[in-house]
Amino acid sequence: MVGYIFNRVRTRRRAMEQLREIVAHRRRDGPLHIAILQARASDEAEELRQVLEIGFAPVELYVTQFTTVIGVHTGPGVLGIAFYWGD
């Protein structure tokens, strides 16, 4: 669901909770693989990593930076996830 707005939230804290809720809502059989992407939001990315690791015990969990192409369009402070359940 690329580009779909799930919900609008007012705080960054609630936005991170919303990301966790999306992963929980889309739970499937099989192992979980997650990538957390950030642009100058390394502290929040680390906090989100800990929450997702404790809550879901993924087999893969990466934290990486958005490319500069994405950063040009979003600006600093953006945080997102990509994930899938299965082999």
Side-chain angles (χ1 to χ4, degrees):
M1 301 189 102
V2 176
Y4 179 79
I5 296 174
F6 287 93
N7 194 6
R8 292 186 187 266
V9 296
R10 291 182 179 248
T11 66
R12 292 189 64 81
R13 169 91 36 224
R14 182 63 188 123
M16 291 192 335
E17 290 173 12
Q18 183 78 39
L19 292 173
R20 186 199 57 75
E21 290 170 10
I22 290 167
V23 174
H25 178 72
R26 297 192 172 277
R27 182 179 292 269
R28 303 288 185 266
D29 291 334
L32 175 62
H33 308 261
I34 303 175
I36 299 171
L37 302 105
Q38 57 90 13
R40 294 189 185 169
S42 57
D43 291 342
E44 291 166 322
E46 176 59 24
E47 184 180 338
L48 183 58
R49 183 197 65 78
Q50 291 175 9
V51 167
L52 294 173
E53 193 167 56
I54 291 168
F56 299 102
V59 296
E60 289 184 297
L61 187 115
Y62 299 103
V63 178
T64 189
Q65 292 182 3
F66 273 110
T67 65
T68 54
V69 173
I70 298 296
V72 164
H73 295 285
T74 62
V78 69
L79 183 67
I81 60 173
F83 68 95
Y84 69 95
W85 294 92
D87 297 325

